[in-house]
Amino acid sequence: MEHKLYIYNTLSRKKEQFIPLHDNKVGMYVCGPTVYGDAHLGHARPAITFDIVFRYLMHLGYKVRYVRNITDVGHLENDADSGEDKIGKKARLDQLEPMEVVQYYTNRYHKAMEALNVLPPSIEPHASGHIIEQIEFVQKIFDAGFAYESEGSVYFDVEKYNKTNNYGKLSGRNIEDMLEATRELDGQTEKRRSVDFALWKKASPEHIMHWKSPWSEGFPGWHLECSAMGTKYLGEEFDIHGGGMDLMFPHHECEIAQNKAGLGKDSVKYWMHNNMITINGQKMGKSLGNFINLEEFFTGNHALLTQPFSPMTVRFFILQAHYRSTVDFSSAALEASEKGLSRLMEGFSRLQKLTASATSSVETAGLRAKCEEAMCDDLNTPIVISYLFDALRAINLVHDGKETISAPDLEELNSVFKLFMEDILGLKAENEASSGNEAYKKAIDLLLNMRLEAKQNKDWATSDKIRNELTALGFEIKDTKDGFEWKI
Ligand code: ZN
């Protein structure tokens, strides 16, 4: 590989050079949504973060198998271990078959991801489609002596596991403290210890989704699906496991313990976690009334929003922060992002229309290397964006005729913008005026060229008619030294 990529490994708590386990092949697993409600910002951030990882690894020449699951069983209300199944509850409330709930929200999730220009993963396995693999995984942990059965449910024996392993090594939690804090509660439920987590739960009579197993008619614990599906599709050892920081404990900690107990090895080489999003400085939550789903952002239909924000504005906003920093959403911050993105898009579109001169008076040569360097430094998208903004100045000066650019420099600049804006950051023009709708663009250009001709022929009536009617339709037309510019 030409470029050395460094990523922050949550497990080692430092940046490490990325060296895949198998030559140029990379396996990446990212925890996907539990599909019982509409996708919101909490879903958008990991999806976009790992979309960038996926895109950049492919750009570096790796063949990436990207697995992102759909959780459609076993995620209980109270995190992982108690309460009702989130999907089962929604199905009961809406009087639907659980798989109707799953299909409905999966479709909506896909639609939102497509709008955000998030590439689909290579494999999107459903937990409910991998019950056999999960039962087999429980059996392996059982056989290795790290699980016990109680009243038809199977629990992971955390205390025993911790005697020979380090439970808490990812999240930094201290198991001794956890055991101490819960000692008086222990022995009161079917679990031996509060820290133990369910691998298999016996279904109560009202529980809708259940399967046969050696222990009971029941369902798998939430953490188990990622152990089972990750290793099924990526092998017992694979390169990257990602997700939001909120999943670090207990979900990912439990996954590490399950894999080590069941397979005898650590499955994941690099653990990556994106930071959280707050809204107006507050944690997002349904009870706080600041829970804005993506569709509400796109339509502006929420009390906390001053206007609609397009999917690309939301994407750009997320990319303006490093994935390990927190992001605070507010309408004002989004408005600023919208302006910034529109300037960048306008510059990109201007760049494509610039005419070359014999020599360059602007300096643009180092842009590609600087952008690659920023991406290789733990995917520093905000720095890449700042370099693109810097280049915008040169583009605008050339556009205004104050500076010149040579043909090779212009070609390179176009190529760098296309690579970083479109292929790596995944930013695309949204309104028809500058989008890929080529026929539409050409039709407007044709009309405006006819207007230019009319002006040259001093046919003011025709020239004004074209201008006024396009303006009435919402077009903004600007005369320039080379002809015209327009947007909608
Ligand atoms: Zn997971």
Side-chain angles (χ1 to χ4, degrees), residues 33 56 65 70 106 113 115 168 262 289 308 326 402 420 424 437 462 470 472:
Y56 196 63
R65 183 180 294 166
I70 295 281
T106 303
M113 290 305 117
T326 52
K402 290 174 183 145
F420 284 92
I424 293 173
N437 193 341
T462 305
L470 280 175

Side-chain angles (χ1 to χ4, degrees), residues 36 77 83-96 98 101 207-209:
Y36 70 105
E77 274 179 299
E84 213 174 332
D85 182 291
K86 289 182 175 180
I87 288 153
K89 183 181 180 187
K90 183 81 182 156
R92 180 173 60 76
L93 293 175
D94 295 357
Q95 294 185 308
L96 293 168
V101 173
H207 199 96
I208 315 175
M209 288 182 284

Side-chain angles (χ1 to χ4, degrees), residues 29-32 69 71 222-227 229 241-243 247 251-252 255 271:
Y29 187 93
V30 173
C31 293
N69 68 304
T71 296
W222 169 42
H223 314 309
L224 194 66
E225 62 175 276
C226 293
S227 283
M229 297 190 290
H241 193 311
L247 295 181
H251 188 55
H252 292 158
E255 193 179 329
W271 280 93

